[in-house]
Amino acid sequence: MLADNQLLVAGAIFAATATIIALCVPGLLLPIAASSGALMNAWTATGVVSLGALTGSMMIFLTARHVAHDRIPARIAGYLETFEAKFRARGAWLVFGLRLVGTPHFLVSGASALVPIRASSFALATLAGLLPTIMMAALAGSAI
């Protein structure tokens, strides 16, 4: 019955993806994308998993920015000053590149929250960096 209702399947996959990413569980994004590609068509699966991953990444980003920004130990603050200049110049490109090469979500999201990058720039760079990998996994899953 669940497999017959595509909207319910899409909602479940979106919620599972967002939760897994927000809880910092590593290594499950590609299996979720591939299995969702097998359950739905590849394009729908790409959209659902991408939006779920973006939602989970934004949860980490906003939580880290809200909670940890004022509680940075002095020894880490010195390192952050070095990266702040780089992030001011090309922060979105750095996030895009780190997402593209597969750097763990919690590292990219948490570190990005501590440096001056707008949330909208972070979201766009995250989506652009994750989209090719998710699309390839969903296409592979849909071939099953």
Side-chain angles (χ1 to χ4, degrees):
M1 181 177 131
L2 181 65
D4 293 334
N5 190 342
Q6 290 294 309
L7 188 60
L8 198 56
V9 170
I13 290 172
F14 170 81
T17 304
T19 302
I20 286 169
I21 297 297
L23 292 176
C24 304
V25 179
L28 291 180
L29 184 60
L30 293 180
I32 287 174
S35 61
S36 66
L39 293 173
M40 302 181 282
N41 70 50
W43 303 110
T44 304
T46 299
V48 169
V49 174
S50 296
L51 290 176
L54 177 62
T55 301
S57 296
M58 288 302 294
M59 285 181 198
I60 296 170
F61 178 81
L62 294 173
T63 301
R65 181 163 277 183
H66 180 71
V67 172
H69 193 268
D70 296 331
R71 299 178 185 170
I72 300 170
R75 64 175 187 237
I76 296 175
Y79 292 116
L80 283 177
E81 289 175 7
T82 305
F83 291 110
E84 281 184 10
K86 293 178 183 176
F87 263 86
R88 278 194 174 91
R90 53 189 179 274
W93 287 106
L94 291 171
V95 171
F96 170 73
L98 290 170
R99 294 288 191 206
L100 201 58
V101 299
T103 306
H105 281 50
F106 67 93
L107 289 177
V108 177
S109 299
S112 296
L114 301 177
V115 295
I117 186 171
R118 292 188 336 253
S120 59
S121 297
F122 172 79
L124 185 61
T126 293
L127 190 58
L130 291 176
L131 202 55
T133 305
I134 292 170
M135 187 182 309
M136 294 302 290
L139 285 168
S142 69
I144 295 175

